[in-house]
Amino acid sequence: MSKKRLIAMFISLCIIILLCVLCGAVFVVRDVEIVKLEGLEFNTQISDKDLIATTQISYGKSIFAISESKVVTNIENTYPTIKVRGVERIFPNKIVIKLIERVPMIAIKFKGQKDYLILDNNMCAIKKVSVTEADFNEKLKNVCIVKGFELEGTNDIYLGKQLPRVYGDEVVLIEHIIAGLVKQGMELKQINEFISSIGFEQGVKKIFVYTKYGTGEGVSIDIDYSGIEKDENIVYKRIQLARKKYVTLETEEKIAGVLIYDSTTNSYIHKMHE
């Protein structure tokens, strides 16, 4: 082996050792920052200190050894109302965790109980609330109530996790309605102000979306999804068409009547109730 090659190998080894030393001394966690994204209201009882403790990030540990998925799981399992939008490494020694607060969107009743499961737009379970006739309107006033579909069993429902689709096709259909409205440029809180309830009928492939107008009920939207075998996104597409029609309605049309899909024009038309 030539002398030049030996020198090159020695230099390479020195560089590797130096990098290992630097990584062990420099690229270690010394600071963890919680960033609550703008425009969101957070529970003031949850402090940054508590959130950081929940991550189980060890100070002095290599910044490369931090598991992003573990940080997400630890926070979201402990605080179901919070969603982690990102975990970033800021070299040489800082971890930044970006959070948003889940917006309660949907309320589904447990069969045979007075309890409702509150979910966000991704059908992630946020909390379980017990509701009576006396406090029904108060506890569920800012969410869309699902009618004609109830949850049976609770063994595999976990706060901070998505509602399993095994509970029924309705889970996916509800998610598609919300996603379609978001696609139309609506914010989640605007959707809460737009929809009062979503109704299902057993044996009929139709969804009835009931809108709000002022403090009362508005026009309803009839979504026929009988063609779902050919197009699994039919509800997602139909609610967008319905929303496009809705924004063109006159005031008296938004208050009453129904929006019905017209297959000849691939659009929605407004009809008054007879």
Side-chain angles (χ1 to χ4, degrees):
M1 186 177 293
S2 66
K3 186 175 181 180
K4 288 185 178 180
R5 188 171 182 182
L6 286 173
I7 293 173
M9 290 176 64
F10 177 74
I11 293 174
S12 297
L13 180 61
C14 290
I15 291 174
I16 292 172
I17 294 173
L18 179 61
L19 288 174
C20 290
V21 171
L22 287 175
C23 287
V26 178
F27 297 107
V28 295
V29 178
R30 302 196 185 282
D31 184 24
V32 179
E33 181 183 0
I34 299 294
V35 177
K36 298 171 182 177
L37 300 182
E38 291 183 18
L40 298 170
E41 297 177 0
F42 276 79
N43 187 334
T44 55
Q45 295 179 350
I46 304 176
S47 67
D48 288 3
K49 183 179 179 180
D50 290 337
L51 287 166
I52 292 172
T54 301
T55 67
Q56 298 182 12
I57 293 176
S58 300
Y59 290 97
K61 185 176 182 179
S62 170
I63 198 171
F64 301 105
I66 301 302
S67 169
E68 296 178 18
S69 61
K70 186 176 180 180
V71 170
V72 173
T73 299
N74 288 343
I75 291 178
E76 294 187 353
N77 283 358
T78 306
Y79 302 107
T81 60
I82 292 176
K83 180 178 177 62
V84 180
R85 286 294 297 271
V87 179
E88 297 181 6
R89 296 177 178 85
I90 307 298
F91 294 104
N93 51 29
K94 185 176 182 179
I95 299 292
V96 175
I97 304 170
K98 296 181 179 181
L99 308 176
I100 63 171
E101 192 170 37
R102 297 185 187 277
V103 178
M105 297 291 296
I106 303 293
I108 306 178
K109 189 177 183 294
F110 286 98
K111 191 170 185 177
Q113 301 180 34
K114 294 182 179 180
D115 298 334
Y116 280 78
L117 185 66
I118 308 300
L119 307 106
D120 71 355
N121 59 302
N122 295 315
M123 302 304 284
C124 179
I126 298 176
K127 60 182 177 180
K128 184 178 178 181
V129 297
S130 183
V131 178
T132 65
E133 290 185 11
D135 59 17
F136 182 90
N137 291 332
E138 177 61 28
K139 288 189 175 180
L140 302 180
K141 65 179 180 180
N142 293 321
V143 294
C144 173
I145 301 167
V146 175
K147 301 177 180 179
F149 168 64
E150 297 181 341
L151 300 172
E152 295 188 55
T154 60
N155 292 335
D156 52 357
I157 295 178
Y158 301 97
L159 298 184
K161 299 292 185 182
Q162 276 193 314
L163 182 64
R165 295 187 174 185
V166 295
Y167 277 91
D169 294 336
E170 291 87 348
V171 174
V172 179
L173 298 176
I174 294 168
E175 185 177 3
H176 282 192
I177 289 173
I178 304 300
L181 292 173
V182 170
K183 181 67 174 180
Q184 283 298 298
M186 297 187 72
E187 296 180 359
L188 297 182
K189 290 185 177 180
Q190 289 178 316
I191 296 173
N192 273 338
E193 295 169 356
F194 177 58
I195 298 177
S196 64
S197 63
I198 296 174
F200 294 90
E201 285 189 15
Q202 295 298 320
V204 180
K205 289 190 175 181
K206 277 190 178 184
I207 303 172
F208 302 93
V209 179
Y210 299 94
T211 69
K212 301 176 184 177
Y213 193 86
T215 57
E217 293 285 342
V219 64
S220 60
I221 301 171
D222 184 335
I223 302 178
D224 184 335
Y225 63 97
S226 55
I228 196 168
E229 289 78 12
K230 294 182 179 179
D231 184 359
E232 62 181 13
N233 294 315
I234 189 171
V235 171
Y236 173 76
K237 296 174 181 176
R238 293 274 173 92
I239 191 64
Q240 292 186 62
L241 294 174
R243 175 62 186 178
K244 288 179 180 178
K245 178 61 179 180
Y246 178 87
V247 298
T248 69
L249 298 179
E250 300 293 336
T251 299
E252 60 271 16
E253 294 175 317
K254 291 181 178 180
I255 296 174
V258 58
L259 290 178
I260 300 175
Y261 177 72
D262 180 5
S263 59
T264 60
T265 60
N266 189 33
S267 62
Y268 269 79
I269 58 175
H270 180 271
K271 287 187 175 182
M272 295 300 293
H273 293 296
E274 296 180 358

